[in-house]
Every structure is written in structure tokens, then in C-alpha cells.
Amino acid sequence: MSSPDPQRAGVPSSRLMTVALVGAAVLALAGGGAFYLASQKAARPVEAGAIAVRVGAKSCEPMDLTVPAGRSVFEIENASDRPIEWEILDGVMVVEERENIAPGFKSQLTARLKPGTYDITCGLLSNPRGKLTVTASAHSEAERAKPPLKAFIGPLSEYKVYLALQSGQMAQATKALATAVDSGDLAAARTAYAAARTAYRHVEAVSGRIADIENAIDPIAAYLAGREQDPAFTGFHRIEFGLWHKNSAAGLKPVADKLAADAAALRDRLKALKFEPADLAGNASREARRLAEGPIVSGDSLYAGDDLSEFAAAVDGLEKPVSLLLPLAGEASPDMAKAVTDAFAAARAEIGKLGGPGSAPVAYSEVPPDARKALAAAFVALADAVDRINPALGLE
């Protein structure tokens, strides 16, 4: 008597089971990709008069732009095969930026620019930069004639002290990190790394705009031609790659020593940096929006997976300058000041839902797309709330 045919008997064959499992995996990956692409497509409608900039593999089109001072809207198209960031630079300072633009997609950037000549980045960090010339306008002349506001002396001074303290803590933590790496103590190196990252997140709204320091301290492998093997892959993420991905401190001593030196240089640069009153809220809003559009969607701590703790530290860093303005903002508009306070609480609540500080640690790779989208939305709402401060205080 012959054996029964398992397929006719209603029992799936091992081959069909394998195909089903593979198909399920493909669908899961496709779902993740679809979310990412949808996040890229969910852009605001193109504003009339937006200036088109096409970023190719090697350059921008056009490489030279001229706009009047005041508000300008740029529509950046990624015509390369790699995710890109697009920046407007005043020397080494990042004036405005848009991150994580996927190949084939467009993103809008709104900037309020003063007269002068700026650089624009064009894809990979190794590509030549373009030029942006901003000419004087009635708007810029009115801004230039505005008298200084003495009410902001105290907040500006206190924030400078905060930046000095936090960047000093970062410099100390990176020295401890270099010592632990040199001794091969993996656990101590990871602890020192986390302390350094927390302090870094507290100042990143400002330090992230100093392009040469930022490119040394915190370059992302995806923005480099050779990715993790690129010689320019230095700083925090190179050390993170070794300590967590390779599970070893071997070969990291030169990288850790350079990071400690760069952290000391950042501390000194922040002490010498000068701020305008509008920078307090402006930097915080810009950084909240940058986090929402890039790191929160795609992840930033790709090897250690400690994104939630870092995002919580980032909220603390964003709140400091804003909190210094809230007494003035509350006098100008109590409802607006309350909206800002509520937005900070909401952002912290979203992090807490996912297992941030005070909860069991959760690797960011385990955070599903919908939860990332909700967290990004909370940071966008935070940026929108903070954006109301400067107009209310007559700083725009």
C-alpha cells in the first residue's frame, strides 16, 4: 500500500512551508520600506516660488544661487542613488539643513537668510560645495536697524554657562572613554561612551551647526562614500561600531584619542561662540525638526540601539534655552508659553511609552514604524510650538 500524498491529505510540504516563511519575511521588509518611503513622500505641498535644487552624485544643479535676504523656500531633489543631507553653511556654521532625503525624492527647506555669501553642500561630504549669494532687501535693512533687546542679556548669558558646563562634561567623558579603550575595558568604554553621548546631546542644537567639528565628531556612515570602511568614518559612531557591532575596543585608540581632542576643541569653540536672541528658540526648533525628519525615522544609534535614551537627553538639551525664554514669552502670550510647555511634556511622554529613561531598556530596532512615526510627530509638534516664541517676542 502506497504512502498517502501529504499535499493531497492537506498537510503542507516542507518546501511550501519554506516558501511561506520566505514570503512572510519579504512582506515584513517591504512593509518597513514602504513606511520609510511614505515618510519621505509625506511632504508639504510645494510652495509657489520655491527654488529648485537638484543634487546629483557629484554636484548640485545649479551650483550657484542668488536670493534676496529674508525668507526663501528651497525644494531639494535627490537625483543620486544614496540618501543625502543638504546644508546651507556660513563658514563652518550650519545655517539650515535638511537630512535623510531618499534617492528620487524631494524635500522642502525654509530659511530666513541675512545678506552674505554662503556654501551649500551637494550630497557626499567629499563633493564640491556650491555657492548661495543673499542680497540685501527691505527686510534685511529693517532687521539691521532693530535696536538690541536688553531683556535677553540674562538668558543668553545663562545659556552660555550651560553650554560650557555640558561641553566640559563631554570633554571629560571622552577622555575617560579614551582611557578605557586604551586599557581594553569594554564595559568601562561603553559606560563612558554613554556619558559622553548624553552631554553631546545636550549641546547638539548648537554644536551640530559647527560643520567641521560635527563632521569630525559625529559623521554617519551612510553619508560617506566608503560607509563604515571610509577613512572619514571617525568620532562617536566609529567607536560605537567597534564597541557594539564588533564587541571589541581593539583598534579604537586613535579614534578615541581624536574624539577627546575634538571634544576639547568643541568646548573651546562654544565658549567663544556669539549668539543672537533669536538663536535660543531658533536652534531648539531647528534641532527638534532635524531629529523628527531623520534620526527618529531611520535611527541614529545604529549599533548600540540606545536611541531612546539619546532622544530623551536631546529633549533636555532643547528645553534649556527655551526655558530661559518662557518668562518673557509668558508675558507676551500665556497661551503660547503653555503650548510650549505642553509640547515638551508630550515629547517626553512619547519616549516614555517606548521604554525610555525610567523604563526597561528597548533597542530601537524593536520600535515599530508606527511608533517611530508618532514620536517624530511629537518632535514636529514641539518644533512648531517653539517656532511661535520668536514672533511673539518681536524677534522676527
Side-chain angles (χ1 to χ4, degrees):
M1 183 176 180
S2 61
S3 300
D5 185 337
Q7 295 191 30
R8 292 190 181 187
V11 179
S13 69
S14 60
R15 180 182 227 172
L16 288 175
M17 288 293 288
T18 301
V19 170
L21 289 172
V22 171
V26 169
L27 286 173
L29 290 172
F35 166 75
Y36 176 75
L37 293 177
S39 72
Q40 293 287 324
K41 283 188 173 180
R44 292 166 288 179
V46 177
E47 187 167 330
I51 302 160
V53 179
R54 189 171 186 268
V55 182
K58 299 294 183 181
S59 64
C60 293
E61 296 178 14
M63 288 292 283
D64 292 282
L65 293 165
T66 300
V67 300
R71 183 178 183 274
S72 292
V73 179
F74 300 88
E75 184 186 47
I76 303 99
E77 177 186 1
N78 182 1
S80 73
D81 61 357
R82 299 274 290 274
I84 63 163
E85 62 178 347
W86 192 77
E87 297 175 329
I88 301 173
L89 299 167
D90 184 3
V92 298
M93 296 297 296
V94 178
V95 177
E96 291 290 353
E97 64 184 336
R98 186 66 72 240
E99 286 194 359
N100 210 34
I101 307 173
F105 288 82
K106 298 178 181 180
S107 183
Q108 288 186 60
L109 181 148
T110 301
R112 288 179 173 83
L113 300 168
K114 297 178 181 179
T117 302
Y118 302 82
D119 289 332
I120 55 175
T121 58
C122 295
L124 297 177
L125 295 176
S126 55
N127 288 352
R129 291 175 176 176
K131 291 293 180 184
L132 172 62
T133 301
V134 180
T135 58
S137 65
H139 171 88
S140 64
E141 290 303 302
E143 285 292 306
R144 188 170 63 84
K146 185 165 41 177
L149 300 172
K150 295 181 180 179
F152 292 93
I153 294 175
L156 286 169
S157 299
E158 188 170 343
Y159 188 51
K160 289 274 286 184
V161 171
Y162 175 80
L163 291 176
L165 290 172
Q166 293 301 316
S167 60
Q169 290 180 15
M170 177 184 164
Q172 291 176 356
T174 52
K175 285 179 65 177
L177 172 60
T179 299
V181 164
D182 190 29
S183 67
D185 189 335
L186 185 63
R190 287 177 171 178
T191 298
Y193 177 90
R197 286 294 289 182
T198 296
Y200 171 70
R201 287 297 194 185
H202 288 165
V203 302
E204 193 179 16
V206 178
S207 68
R209 300 184 67 193
I210 307 175
D212 60 334
I213 292 285
E214 181 71 1
N215 289 340
I217 286 177
D218 204 40
I220 298 171
Y223 293 158
L224 300 169
R227 299 183 185 273
E228 282 84 359
Q229 308 310 314
D230 198 292
F233 185 47
T234 60
F236 276 120
H237 292 303
R238 175 63 186 89
I239 293 172
E240 179 197 359
F241 179 72
L243 296 182
W244 276 272
H245 183 76
K246 293 190 173 182
N247 205 38
S248 171
L252 293 179
K253 184 179 186 306
V255 184
D257 287 343
K258 185 177 185 303
L259 176 61
D262 289 336
L266 173 61
R267 176 197 59 206
D268 295 340
R269 293 276 285 276
L270 290 178
K271 287 180 180 178
L273 204 60
K274 295 183 179 180
F275 294 92
E276 299 291 334
D279 292 335
L280 293 172
N283 285 343
S285 169
R286 185 180 294 107
E287 178 65 6
R289 210 173 295 280
R290 183 192 74 82
L291 290 168
E293 294 172 347
I296 291 175
V297 173
S298 59
D300 194 38
S301 186
L302 299 180
Y303 317 108
D306 197 27
D307 301 71
L308 292 173
S309 292
E310 292 203 8
F311 294 153
V315 173
D316 292 340
L318 299 177
E319 189 172 38
K320 180 61 179 181
V322 173
S323 70
L324 299 174
L325 292 174
L326 282 182
L328 295 172
E331 291 181 9
S333 173
D335 290 343
M336 178 270 294
K338 183 180 184 303
V340 171
T341 301
D342 291 346
F344 274 104
R348 286 195 172 92
E350 284 297 329
I351 294 171
K353 289 178 186 178
L354 303 177
S359 304
V362 174
Y364 204 60
S365 58
E366 299 176 12
V367 176
D370 286 349
R372 295 188 186 199
K373 184 177 180 180
L375 181 57
F379 272 68
V380 170
L382 174 59
D384 289 342
V386 173
D387 273 340
R388 296 172 59 191
I389 293 176
N390 282 347
L393 297 178
L395 296 176
E396 286 188 1

